[in-house]
Amino acid sequence: MNRRTAFSALALCALAPAAQAQQVLPTVTVTATRTETPRFDVPASIDVVDGDTLRDGRLQVNLSDGLAGVPGLQARDRQNYAQDVQISVRGFGARSTFGIRGVRLYVDGIPATLPDGQGQITNVDLTSVERIEVLRGPFSALYGNSSGGVLQVFTEEGVGRPALSFGVAGGSDGAMRTSIKLSGAEGRLSYLLSASHFETDGYRDHGAARRGIGNAKLVWRADDDTRWSVVLNSVALPFAQDPLGLTRAAFDANPRGADPVATDFDTRKTVSQTQAGIVLDRRVSADHALRVMVYGGHRRTEQFQAIPVATQANNALHPGGVIDLRRDYSGTDWRWTTKTAVADRPLTLIGGLAYDRLRELRQGYLDYTGDAATPQRGQRGALRRDETNFVSNIDPYLQASWQPATDWTLNAGVRHSRVRFDSHDNYIVGANPDDSGRADHRATLPVLGVLWAASRSVHLYATAGKGFETPTLNELGYRPNGATGLNFALQPATSRSLEVGVKSRLDGIGEFNAAVFQTRTSDEIVTLTNTGGRSTFQNAGSTRRSGLELSAVAALPEPWKAQAAATWLDARYRDAFMTCAATPCAAPNVEIASGQRIPGIARSSLQASLAWAPPQGWRAGVDVRALSKVFVNDMNSDAAGGQAIVGASVGHVLPIGAWQFSSFVRVDNVLDRIYAGSVIVNEGNARYFEPAPGRNWMGGVSGSYRF
């Protein structure tokens, strides 16, 4: 990202014509600190992305498309629906090869992150999202394990007379999405039902996918003090080919290609998930309130990998190339809120207890049938692994917010988190021993923040806190040197964070936020070995993440809208350690020196957008996203190059009586850049690069009718 690109993107905020009437920016209320508070009054970095922004002029398939404007957050374009979207917050979660880890996820208050810290967000139907809150910094730790950041999705609630909406959109590479939504309210009951179907041939070879999502949200207000919410959702991914990453040579030669072993083994994934949750909000009195949340669900995943037949056949301890996971999960969160006073100054206390449980049946099979001399690759073969894993956490927590003076607010909290792992080996055959085992991890996580209202339009704050991150079941999945069973020697990483920031709201000018932060982590979890097509992990000393985040929303004349966000993040290892450089590697053979950059993290990023968005008629917008280079491994021997990507859209909104129609056409990567949309950190076969599309287009039409 060069200076000219950065200057041009920031200049978008000044392109609108001068006018006398300026926008009045709305007051945004957030719940990230577990109380409804104006974002301006919270001593933490919180951004809110509303549903219209997520959907406007977009295909409404990838959550990452609408989050580029959040500073400190990197949502990468994998172009691989066999893996979840890649999200990191201030560098946490960047090493995840699939799914989301290091960032805590919630949908309507229900966890989308399992007790081991592994999460996924594929069950979110963007058609019905009302807003997304992104919490960064020390206060994230109050959500427990793997809370480098917190991302909360809230779906819409039905209001008024019944409304029926539909949408059809399509684009490059055979992409097609259809959706339908019904919402409304009748008396004390409100309802929202939505469903969508998506399919694509894929930008890359062997990248086709189909996905269906269904959501339901029912809210029953039994009386003025009692509210019941029921949330149901289901996702089916019956078909998602996995083109795998590409080596540097393959990426340079043909970014649209797939690694040959992907087609040889027909690498792919299928997923099905159904879950339900119930939330009770009860105002006991004017100063006391109770909130109870209970949820449960089931997720089935089958993944076919590309493990050499000889590796599977010649090692009696190898778990095979097909992973079959069946996960049943459930949990509850009880919370009591009290409003009182100390020294005649208002005090809010929140006490709660969270419990979550996961039961996983993990099985491994050979990725071929027949004998090793004439194998039928990509077919489920003989059983090679069978175990039942349990993970649970029980976390009491306490938070307080006190105003000792009119212009001062103190926020404090503490959470004690206990995470237990228990594995029962069901596959004890021949040389394969009983690998049952258990581990118990505990941490007390304090957080303290102070906010000073220097004036009506400028607030200053500082926060500090401690967090921790256990290894996930996927990271525990394999022991070093080919041994069987879970790697219970792997320990959690612990972190200490400090943040100082300023928030300003200037009448007629806009809203500007800045935050400086540093996080020091001990026992960082990194790659140890690569052998037999598997990676194992180790704890490797300390790391440091230091950064600066800037964001601005301009109060331009209606209907202009302008916004910009920039992040600088320096993430480095502070201790040297040994790791593996290639596959196979059964023992670490390369030293990673102190001061090396942590891979998967861009040092700088910038996003800016300018839009003409009247409530009806024609509308248009342009946006720029720029990212510096991203190292792909701990050795920093290669990197995905930096890039600046331009997108543009035009649309039209047409009301006709009780109907409202909208349409759009969008072009992404207008300049047709060739770049890696994401990287697979420390990929054992040096297949680090996941290419993003060149110039591509999409368009769609939607309509709604209010009965």
Side-chain angles (χ1 to χ4, degrees):
M1 180 171 64
N2 58 40
R3 293 182 180 178
R4 179 178 297 176
T5 299
F7 177 80
S8 299
L10 287 173
L12 286 173
C13 291
L15 290 178
Q20 305 249 332
Q22 304 291 319
Q23 290 187 49
V24 177
L25 297 178
T27 298
V28 178
T29 299
V30 296
T31 60
T33 55
R34 295 193 173 91
T35 58
E36 292 189 358
T37 307
R39 182 181 59 174
F40 192 56
D41 298 332
V42 177
S45 294
I46 304 176
D47 279 81
V48 179
V49 181
D50 65 74
D52 290 339
T53 300
L54 290 168
R55 290 183 288 270
D56 190 23
R58 300 186 184 278
L59 198 58
Q60 303 178 38
V61 172
N62 298 314
L63 188 68
S64 56
D65 292 342
L67 297 179
V70 177
L73 183 149
Q74 293 180 18
R76 309 301 298 274
D77 183 5
R78 308 195 72 163
Q79 290 297 304
N80 184 348
Y81 293 95
Q83 314 297 344
D84 208 342
V85 62
Q86 191 178 72
I87 292 178
S88 64
V89 173
R90 294 184 175 177
F92 287 95
R95 74 171 182 272
S96 180
T97 55
F98 56 89
I100 300 172
R101 60 106 62 249
V103 179
R104 202 78 182 173
L105 307 171
Y106 292 84
V107 180
D108 287 320
I110 297 171
T113 297
L114 296 173
D116 66 338
Q118 186 78 44
Q120 59 79 35
I121 206 74
T122 52
N123 60 320
V124 173
D125 184 3
L126 295 180
T127 304
S128 57
V129 170
E130 189 268 332
R131 73 184 190 279
I132 297 177
E133 295 182 12
V134 182
L135 171 66
R136 310 179 299 284
F139 268 98
S140 302
L142 292 179
Y143 285 84
N145 178 28
S146 290
S147 296
V150 180
L151 191 153
Q152 298 199 69
V153 180
F154 297 89
T155 56
E156 299 171 344
E157 291 186 14
V159 294
R161 297 178 62 83
L164 180 64
S165 306
F166 64 88
V168 179
S172 301
D173 306 311
M176 177 65 69
R177 178 193 59 82
T178 56
S179 64
I180 188 168
K181 179 175 67 175
L182 175 66
S183 65
E186 185 67 36
R188 294 184 176 272
L189 175 67
S190 68
Y191 54 90
L192 181 141
L193 308 172
S194 68
S196 65
H197 176 80
F198 168 72
E199 59 183 61
T200 178
D201 297 332
Y203 166 70
R204 297 175 57 196
D205 297 339
H206 198 71
R210 294 195 303 270
R211 185 180 71 191
I213 301 176
N215 277 324
K217 183 176 183 178
L218 307 176
V219 177
W220 170 255
R221 294 169 176 83
D223 53 47
D224 293 341
D225 298 322
T226 307
R227 167 190 163 107
W228 293 89
S229 303
V230 178
V231 180
L232 308 169
N233 61 63
S234 177
V235 59
L237 187 75
F239 177 73
Q241 295 176 321
D242 187 351
L244 305 178
L246 296 179
T247 63
R248 165 60 69 181
F251 172 71
D252 291 340
N254 179 20
R256 299 198 67 156
D259 191 282
V261 299
T263 54
D264 192 23
F265 282 90
D266 191 16
T267 50
R268 62 197 187 273
K269 179 187 280 188
T270 61
V271 176
S272 62
Q273 175 180 297
T274 301
Q275 71 176 38
I278 300 176
V279 180
L280 166 65
D281 290 291
R282 170 69 177 170
R283 186 173 63 185
V284 179
S285 68
D287 297 324
H288 300 279
L290 172 68
R291 180 180 177 88
V292 179
M293 182 274 295
V294 180
Y295 74 97
H298 173 79
R299 183 176 177 90
R300 172 79 181 272
T301 303
E302 184 182 46
Q303 183 174 13
F304 286 76
Q305 300 178 306
I307 309 296
V309 169
T311 300
Q312 299 180 64
N314 297 333
N315 182 355
L317 302 181
H318 197 280
V322 179
I323 300 174
D324 189 348
L325 300 177
R326 305 178 196 188
R327 290 176 163 175
D328 294 294
Y329 54 91
S330 59
T332 185
D333 191 326
W334 293 65
R335 183 192 316 167
W336 185 272
T337 301
T338 295
K339 294 183 179 181
T340 183
V342 172
D344 293 325
R345 303 300 304 173
L347 171 69
T348 300
L349 293 172
I350 301 173
L353 179 68
Y355 173 77
D356 304 278
R357 185 177 186 272
L358 165 67
R359 179 185 183 274
E360 174 193 82
L361 176 61
R362 178 182 290 258
Q363 295 179 314
Y365 298 84
L366 295 178
D367 195 7
Y368 69 91
T369 57
D371 59 60
T374 57
Q376 300 295 314
R377 297 176 178 86
Q379 304 293 323
R380 177 187 285 209
L383 179 69
R384 298 297 291 270
R385 181 174 187 171
D386 186 1
E387 67 196 29
T388 305
N389 300 315
F390 298 90
V391 187
S392 66
N393 70 270
I394 184 165
D395 291 24
Y397 57 88
L398 179 66
Q399 295 176 222
S401 179
W402 183 47
Q403 285 188 283
T406 303
D407 52 354
W408 287 90
T409 303
L410 298 177
N411 286 73
V414 63
R415 183 174 181 127
H416 181 77
S417 188
R418 180 181 182 181
V419 183
R420 304 185 66 176
F421 293 83
D422 196 351
S423 179
H424 298 273
D425 192 355
N426 307 317
Y427 186 77
I428 306 169
V429 178
N432 195 315
D434 185 347
D435 297 305
S436 302
R438 63 184 58 192
D440 195 335
H441 305 301
R442 309 183 188 198
T444 300
L445 312 174
V447 175
L448 177 64
V450 57
L451 182 141
W452 174 44
S455 69
R456 184 179 63 86
S457 58
V458 178
H459 289 183
L460 307 175
Y461 70 91
T463 61
K466 179 182 178 182
F468 94 128
E469 184 177 11
T470 67
T472 66
L473 281 173
N474 290 322
E475 291 167 338
L476 294 171
Y478 306 100
R479 293 179 181 174
N481 305 321
T484 56
L486 298 184
N487 181 18
F488 285 124
L490 194 61
Q491 297 298 306
T494 59
S495 60
R496 289 174 170 81
S497 299
L498 177 65
E499 175 181 336
V500 178
V502 57
K503 302 181 179 185
S504 61
R505 292 173 61 93
L506 306 176
D507 292 340
I509 298 176
E511 182 175 312
F512 303 89
N513 300 314
V516 178
F517 61 89
Q518 184 175 97
T519 300
R520 293 175 179 258
T521 301
S522 301
D523 294 324
E524 186 85 23
I525 299 173
V526 300
T527 301
L528 174 62
T529 66
N530 291 307
T531 183
R534 308 295 189 192
S535 294
T536 66
F537 297 86
Q538 64 177 326
N539 297 106
S542 63
T543 63
R544 182 181 61 212
R545 296 170 173 88
S546 303
L548 168 66
E549 296 171 354
L550 303 171
S551 64
V553 178
L556 298 178
E558 292 282 7
W560 290 96
K561 295 182 180 180
Q563 169 270 338
T567 304
W568 177 83
L569 176 58
D570 185 53
R572 297 181 183 272
Y573 293 113
R574 298 180 65 235
D575 293 328
F577 63 94
M578 300 295 292
T579 191
C580 279
T583 295
C585 175
N589 55 12
V590 173
E591 182 180 15
I592 304 301
S594 173
Q596 288 282 84
R597 298 271 297 277
I598 301 176
I601 303 171
R603 189 168 189 176
S604 59
S605 62
L606 173 69
Q607 187 272 349
S609 63
L610 177 67
W612 167 269
Q616 62 186 61
W618 290 100
R619 52 175 54 193
V622 60
D623 57 81
V624 176
R625 291 177 291 169
L627 203 68
S628 64
K629 70 178 180 181
V630 177
F631 286 109
V632 299
N633 56 19
D634 290 326
M635 295 179 293
N636 294 175
S637 61
D638 202 352
Q643 75 279 340
I645 306 302
V646 178
S649 64
V650 61
H652 190 268
V653 177
L654 176 64
I656 304 177
W659 286 94
Q660 178 159 302
F661 297 94
S662 62
S663 58
F664 78 95
V665 175
R666 179 178 175 86
V667 179
D668 273 320
N669 196 358
V670 173
L671 303 179
D672 200 23
R673 304 293 192 193
I674 298 175
Y675 69 102
S678 66
V679 299
I680 306 173
V681 173
N682 290 323
E683 209 282 337
N685 296 288
R687 297 191 292 248
Y688 305 117
F689 303 97
E690 293 185 300
R695 185 185 298 115
N696 62 97
W697 70 273
M698 63 191 73
V701 60
S702 61
S704 64
Y705 180 81
R706 178 74 68 176
F707 290 90

